[in-house]
Amino acid sequence: MLVKVITGLGPPEDMSRLEFAARLIKIVVLFFISFSLAADVTPFFYQRF
Amino acid sequence: MIALNAAPFWIMCLATMAGTAPLIGSPSQRVLLAGLNFAFVTYFLGWSALWLAGMLLGVWLLLRLTGLPMLGIWLTLAASLGALALFVIHKTPADVSNASIQTLKTLLSVIGYSYVMLRFFELLRAVHEGRRDPPDLISLINYLIPFHMLAAGPIQSYDDFVRHSQSIEQSITTRQVLTGAERVSLGVFKKFVLALALQKVFLTNFESTGLWLFIEVNVFYVWLYLDFSAYSDIAVGVGHIIGAPAPENFNNPLVARNIIDFWDRWHISLSMFIRRNLFLPIQLVLMRWTESHLPLTCASIAVAISFLLCGLWHGLGPNFLAWGGVHAAGLVIARIYAFLLQRHLGSKRLKAYRANSWVRLTSTVITFEFVAFSFLTLFRLPTQW
């Protein structure tokens, strides 16, 4: 099941593929931005603030 | 304390998700989870993990003996005092001259002892009162040192833990994984983007003055909410995926309309712990003493004692005691105010009064400022006795 989720093959029955993809992308983007900042890799965001 | 911006926690999350997800519904899942929980703290503690293993075995044995007549009472009392002694060691400044104490302090810090102690009290009380059987070693490890709740709670009640253990789901669904992952991603975003941005831009450890101090006081409250609730979001999200649910800990506390409402929304698991284990027992004793003649006085005294202890749980300095005292005073005043309103307005007019949007807005702003300024006590008052 975990593999199914990670590979994006199995949205829940009552969820469209579009919504499923959008939610997966949101998760990836939030993780990417957060860990970029946490690791201090992209000080770009701080400069904007 | 477990750092969430370092790799071990996230490697542990992935390992646990990958390892336990296929086993959900089978007895092996909780065994694997216990092994991973212990392995996680062993990574930080090294050989000192043997101390922890000894402590867990001691607690396991102790819980089996607490049911004995007479001896059980003394053992429960001794265990409670021992747990409190460890808490004092955990919260007092480091004594670097003594290697054993230093090792013990590191151990207590890694497992987040403040939270472990409260879980231990829940467990001890449930077993001592005969509400629950003593747990086996696997359940004990999973309840006392769950890796996803070590950093900053929440404080799961033992009844809640047993309920979830007994209703183990048969398999993990895509929706569960998606919802859990969304919650974790929201948590890391709140902590590492929103809270960090506020901290970098506005917070000066309250060295500011005048208008800037007013701004900092307000921003600090928002920052603390974002940072702290982020830990809970991550714990709840991870728990959702690995089949070891963590209780919800926050419910929009920034819009609380009075201090009683605030404590129903802020650090809910601590608030519920206080209610179950301090407020209600103290109130019950006081009501018996006064033969139920002074309910408001009894409730006020129970609140005051509970929140002074709550302050000391956060830290053993006078500043934390004062913070608890400020909240206790706020809660007592709010209770008296609610009582007076009820008496003067009656139920019907009170309902209309509470529904008024201006009243709601004013009370929300006053509550927000009260809570925000209460944090000043932590920074402006002495930290040592």
Side-chain angles (χ1 to χ4, degrees):
Chain A
M1 188 57 73
L2 197 66
V3 174
K4 257 171 94 179
V5 172
I6 291 167
T7 53
L9 293 176
E13 282 176 13
D14 54 346
M15 190 185 291
S16 69
R17 279 188 174 272
L18 187 66
E19 188 195 347
F20 185 61
R23 287 173 72 170
L24 275 183
I25 290 167
K26 186 183 91 179
I27 291 167
V28 172
V29 168
L30 287 181
F31 266 112
F32 177 76
I33 295 173
S34 308
F35 283 116
S36 300
L37 287 177
D40 222 5
V41 175
T42 50
F44 168 81
F45 289 96
Y46 292 148
Q47 287 160 13
R48 292 283 152 162
F49 289 123
Chain B
M1 191 170 158
I2 309 291
L4 296 189
N5 59 347
F9 179 80
W10 299 104
I11 292 170
M12 178 68 185
C13 282
L14 289 174
T16 313
M17 286 172 201
T20 58
L23 297 176
I24 283 185
S26 81
S28 333
Q29 189 240 357
R30 65 186 201 97
V31 178
L32 180 67
L33 189 58
L36 288 168
N37 280 328
F38 194 79
F40 183 59
V41 289
T42 303
Y43 171 81
F44 293 98
L45 292 174
W47 287 107
S48 307
L50 289 173
W51 284 44
L52 181 63
M55 283 179 184
L56 288 166
L57 278 171
V59 170
W60 176 75
L61 187 64
L62 175 94
L63 291 168
R64 263 150 185 74
L65 298 175
T66 49
L68 294 174
M70 283 313 290
L71 181 66
I73 296 169
W74 289 107
L75 280 175
T76 305
L77 192 65
S80 306
L81 291 174
L84 285 173
L86 285 178
F87 180 73
V88 173
I89 292 172
H90 176 48
K91 288 286 184 181
T92 43
D95 177 7
V96 285
S97 59
N98 189 319
S100 297
I101 289 189
Q102 195 54 46
T103 307
L104 185 60
K105 281 179 75 67
T106 307
L107 187 156
L108 297 175
S109 174
V110 164
I111 63 171
Y113 182 71
S114 305
Y115 291 94
V116 173
M117 180 183 75
L118 298 189
R119 283 196 282 270
F120 171 68
F121 280 139
E122 285 273 352
L123 178 57
L124 191 63
R125 195 175 165 203
V127 174
H128 178 67
E129 289 177 353
R131 278 187 288 119
R132 301 285 177 192
D133 291 331
D136 57 31
L137 202 52
I138 300 298
S139 296
L140 185 72
I141 293 171
N142 287 337
Y143 178 62
L144 285 185
I145 52 165
F147 84 94
H148 58 302
M149 294 189 235
L150 290 184
I155 306 149
Q156 189 174 29
S157 76
Y158 187 60
D159 290 331
D160 189 41
F161 174 80
V162 172
R163 260 197 305 276
H164 282 300
S165 306
Q166 287 170 346
S167 60
I168 291 173
E169 290 159 54
Q170 291 311 304
S171 65
I172 192 165
T173 62
T174 315
R175 185 175 285 282
Q176 252 177 300
V177 176
L178 192 67
T179 310
E182 273 184 326
R183 193 68 188 270
V184 177
S185 66
L186 177 70
V188 292
F189 186 76
K190 276 160 80 174
K191 176 154 183 64
F192 295 125
V193 180
L194 301 180
L196 205 57
L198 285 183
Q199 186 186 7
K200 295 244 171 187
V201 175
F202 290 103
L203 303 185
T204 66
N205 267 336
F206 293 100
E207 285 169 7
S208 53
T209 52
L211 178 65
W212 289 111
L213 177 64
F214 179 77
I215 293 170
E216 184 174 0
V217 163
N218 284 278
V219 172
F220 177 83
Y221 176 24
V222 177
W223 169 80
L224 188 63
Y225 166 64
L226 289 171
D227 190 79
F228 192 9
S229 66
Y231 281 102
S232 297
D233 286 331
I234 294 166
V236 170
V238 171
H240 215 64
I241 299 172
I242 64 172
E248 290 292 344
N249 219 13
F250 291 89
N251 177 22
N252 300 320
L254 303 183
V255 297
R257 62 180 298 163
N258 59 52
I259 195 70
I260 299 169
D261 189 25
F262 167 79
W263 278 103
D264 283 337
R265 294 165 174 269
W266 174 274
H267 206 169
I268 298 167
S269 64
L270 174 67
S271 185
M272 296 303 285
F273 177 91
I274 291 170
R275 193 169 297 172
R276 279 191 305 271
N277 297 294
L278 290 171
F279 176 76
L280 289 175
I282 295 169
Q283 190 188 30
L284 193 66
V285 169
L286 292 173
M287 292 289 272
R288 278 183 188 154
W289 276 357
T290 58
E291 294 174 342
S292 305
H293 288 314
L294 303 164
L296 191 61
T297 310
C298 292
S300 301
I301 293 171
V303 160
I305 295 171
S306 303
F307 273 83
L308 286 172
L309 291 173
C310 169
L312 288 175
W313 175 79
H314 284 84
L316 287 178
N319 55 340
F320 282 102
L321 186 67
W323 177 80
V326 167
H327 277 264
L331 284 161
V332 169
I333 291 167
R335 274 174 180 274
I336 293 170
Y337 183 63
F339 172 77
L340 292 176
L341 271 181
Q342 171 77 37
R343 206 165 68 173
H344 285 284
L345 297 178
S347 295
K348 202 173 171 185
R349 281 173 63 204
L350 180 62
K351 206 173 169 185
Y353 171 81
R354 284 193 170 143
N356 185 303
S357 50
W358 283 108
V359 171
R360 174 157 190 103
L361 180 68
T362 310
S363 56
T364 303
V365 170
I366 291 171
T367 306
F368 186 98
E369 294 304 329
F370 177 84
V371 175
F373 274 89
S374 73
F375 292 120
L376 260 186
T377 55
L378 302 179
F379 293 87
R380 291 286 167 97
L381 293 179
T383 56
Q384 304 282 325
W385 296 100

